[in-house]
Amino acid sequence: MFADLHLHTQFSDGTYSPGELVDQASRHELVAIALTDHDTVEGCAPTAQACDAAGIEFISGTELTAEQDGHEIHILGYCIDTGDPKLLAEISKFQLVRQNRVREMVARLNRLNVPLEAEAVFALANCRSPGRPHVARALVSARLCANLDEAFERFLKKNRPAWVPKFKMSAADAIELIHGAGGVAVMAHPGLNRSDEVIPSMAAAGLDGLECFHTKHSSSTAERYLQLADRFHLLVTGGSDCHGTSKGQPVIGTVKLPYQHVEKLKARAVSNRAQAQLPSAKKPAKTGVLHQADPQP
Ligand code: AMP
Ligand code: FE
Ligand code: FE
Ligand code: ZN
């Protein structure tokens, strides 16, 4: 029994609709999936419905962008209440930042004599959480770049001429936001960020887990994060980070997380919620992480 806990749809920068994503999950015989679109939870309800029909367990989720000690960190929130007012208010601010950032990237492209229009990007993205992949796709579809790699290499990668930095909350704020929505906070693809030194402080800030298994983690990288997860008493998760067909072959099915980790994740959501309901004076100090097996006060 295997799960994939890192997937994107058209509600952010993936190419699959919820139905197409769930069809793919069925094809790969996954028993559980989580949807982790960037800065949105809009895709959760339709994906949950498609999962119900397909007999697949659905875990709600999102992927937030944060910053810790100068490193960009992606934080996955799982088992979140997708109607949580604070979460919804915050992510709608992040979406506005993304929309303004698209306009700024397009303005920079225009100053470079690349005649792209912001409306073309928004029409193509057709979602509230547009990002650089949509700008790249719009450049390709307007024949201003030959392919997505060229768009990123020439214009959109960090420090390239149309790159615009994105506002990022602190990792501690992201973790708090996810916990406030009843969820479990997991550091996404740590091997991509080359920022292992932030793991201790994130664990102290209440991080629940590490995404040890990811398409871009080699087996030795996965092993390193399994050891770090063990050392810091963090849960183990994994997923393909499939964005559909945007980057060639879809990667769903290439990372298969044993289901026992999903059970531990769900148990952590229950214990986080129970802890949040305690009167604040009785809450355990958040100076370390609670081990799954630690007795709950
Ligand atoms: P954003 O959140 O707008 O900064 O965009 C980040 C997204 O761009 C991530 O989902 C990445 O998968 C994607 N991305 C980053 N670098 C590249 C690249 N060189 N080629 C294609 N996609 C990329
Ligand atoms: Fe993405
Ligand atoms: Fe990410
Ligand atoms: Zn992702």
Side-chain angles (χ1 to χ4, degrees), residues 267-295:
R268 178 61 64 95
V270 171
S271 71
N272 280 358
R273 284 176 202 184
Q275 198 177 299
Q277 277 161 12
L278 291 173
S280 55
K282 286 192 183 164
K283 270 192 201 173
K286 273 274 181 187
T287 50
V289 285
L290 282 173
H291 189 272
Q292 190 69 29
D294 283 348

Side-chain angles (χ1 to χ4, degrees), residues 59-107:
I59 311 279
S60 62
T62 187
E63 182 173 8
L64 303 177
T65 309
E67 195 165 51
Q68 175 89 19
D69 304 333
H71 296 278
E72 179 170 318
I73 307 287
H74 292 186
I75 300 186
L76 300 160
Y78 290 118
C79 306
I80 42 174
D81 170 4
T82 56
D84 181 77
K86 173 92 193 294
L87 177 73
L88 292 175
E90 291 301 308
I91 61 182
S92 71
K93 286 188 215 160
F94 305 148
Q95 291 168 0
L96 196 61
V97 167
R98 283 179 168 276
Q99 290 157 20
N100 289 335
R101 181 170 173 247
V102 166
R103 289 185 208 285
E104 178 59 27
M105 286 190 279
V106 168

